[in-house]
Amino acid sequence: MRAGINALTAIFLIGVLAGLALTPDGRAWLRHPTILLGDRAAASAPLPTSVAVPAAAATATVPVPATAPVVPLSARLADGPLRIGVFGDSMADGLYAGLYRELQDEPNLKVSKFSQVSTGLTRYDYVNIQARTQAQLDEHPVDVAVLLFGTNDAQGIDTGDDIHRFGTDGWKAAYGRRIDDLVALLRGRGIAVYWVGLPRMKRDSLDEQMMLINGVVEARMRALGVPYIQTVGLTSNDDGDYEAYLPTAGGRRVLMRAGDGIHMSMAGYLRMSAPVAAMIRRDAGLDRAPAPGPATPPPAEPAA
């Protein structure tokens, strides 16, 4: 009896390890990478400029779904602090850490983590992000959703009717529909959505895959009218290439990447989260100086 249980346990563990090996998050977990710490000043950098979408990342030809109007963040503040949720994979875990640190001094902004490692928008047979996000929102409503997916998504999509190989037109259309469905779920609850793009990757083949995903996501955000924060420019050197050490606004070179060439150091995540925090502050009206109060009249001259 015990031998049978041990055999089943071994089979289960082999299956788990094989599943982890299928995704960058899982492989990173198996290698136990460390996230290198940095400081807020070291991660400071100018806000990113837009970059051209690679030709390989063609626009997904899916319709724009109808969504509920989203109340401006500045108007929401009248009802209390804004609840910000960060959704995504292990890259989003780091983005959450950076965004939390960026906004921790804002009493009207509360940041919470909803991300989960080894998840994505392709393998809904493993974790159905649409269903998981709905359950999370039922339990913990938010006003703002910051999303970062894609690290594990360079694999086929099984729609039930067909299996689309990564990068094909069918895959782009299926991936675009899952993006649209997720945004519709969030907007249907009146949640303001911000989508953060993937950073530059060290390995050329993986970088090409991530840039293809960025292209599909950016095209859908443009069609849906959702703010898209690209991070390729922030995480590349002056030649547009991967480099682990990048200069800050002050010119000091700081380690921005983890050893796997995929994830960021804490300084790198702060670099990625800075423009997100700036955009949320701006949209909430928290980047403006308070209006001046009524002028105080000068004191009256004493009577002679």
Side-chain angles (χ1 to χ4, degrees):
M1 181 68 176
R2 180 176 297 176
I5 294 175
N6 290 337
L8 289 174
T9 302
I11 293 171
F12 172 76
L13 290 174
I14 290 171
V16 170
L17 293 173
L20 288 171
L22 290 175
T23 65
D25 281 357
R27 292 191 293 271
W29 181 85
L30 288 170
R31 290 193 297 269
H32 298 289
T34 56
I35 292 181
L36 305 167
L37 298 180
D39 56 76
R40 187 193 302 262
S44 61
L47 296 185
T49 56
S50 60
V51 296
V53 178
T59 302
T61 55
V62 290
V64 178
T67 56
V70 176
V71 179
L73 299 188
S74 55
R76 291 170 186 249
L77 281 176
D79 297 327
L82 293 177
R83 301 162 297 180
I84 303 169
V86 180
F87 300 80
D89 51 31
S90 62
M91 192 74 74
D93 280 358
L95 181 69
Y96 156 76
L99 196 61
Y100 179 88
R101 286 181 59 175
E102 288 284 349
L103 299 177
Q104 63 182 338
D105 297 328
E106 293 282 0
N108 291 318
L109 302 177
K110 307 297 182 184
V111 184
S112 300
K113 188 178 84 70
F114 294 84
S115 51
Q116 180 182 349
V117 300
S118 299
T119 60
L121 303 181
T122 54
R123 292 292 302 277
Y124 277 16
D125 57 319
Y126 174 57
V127 175
N128 186 318
I129 291 298
Q130 186 81 7
R132 184 175 188 272
T133 302
Q134 181 173 331
Q136 288 174 316
L137 295 174
D138 288 343
E139 188 172 356
H140 301 288
V142 300
D143 304 298
V144 180
V146 178
L147 297 98
L148 174 51
F149 284 100
T151 313
N152 307 301
D153 286 346
Q155 49 188 317
I157 296 178
D158 184 354
T159 61
D161 299 323
D162 201 354
I163 297 178
H164 299 283
R165 187 167 53 85
F166 173 74
T168 62
D169 290 343
W171 183 94
K172 293 172 186 175
Y175 197 74
R177 281 192 292 271
R178 290 190 175 179
I179 291 170
D180 287 3
D181 289 345
L182 188 55
V183 172
L185 168 65
L186 295 164
R187 280 183 160 178
R189 299 181 181 226
I191 298 170
V193 181
Y194 298 80
W195 202 298
V196 181
L198 294 160
R200 178 70 70 197
M201 298 291 166
K202 182 177 182 179
R203 183 160 50 88
D204 290 343
S205 59
L206 179 61
D207 186 67
E208 183 178 345
Q209 293 169 339
M210 297 300 102
M211 295 310 103
L212 186 148
I213 291 171
N214 274 349
V216 175
V217 172
E218 185 172 7
R220 295 316 306 153
M221 295 306 103
R222 190 183 302 116
L224 296 170
V226 172
Y228 175 78
I229 300 96
Q230 72 90 7
T231 63
V232 174
L234 280 177
T235 55
S236 304
N237 61 19
D238 291 340
D239 297 324
D241 298 325
Y242 174 93
E243 194 166 339
Y245 285 83
L246 295 172
T248 65
R252 186 163 66 92
R253 295 180 65 80
V254 174
L255 180 61
M256 297 289 179
R257 306 304 293 251
D260 60 4
I262 299 173
H263 297 86
M264 312 297 294
S265 69
M266 192 63 240
Y269 283 123
L270 285 168
R271 190 181 183 96
M272 288 176 61
S273 64
V276 185
M279 189 174 290
I280 292 174
R281 283 195 184 98
R282 181 200 67 192
D283 292 348
L286 297 174
D287 62 340
R288 297 189 287 270
T296 304
E301 291 289 336

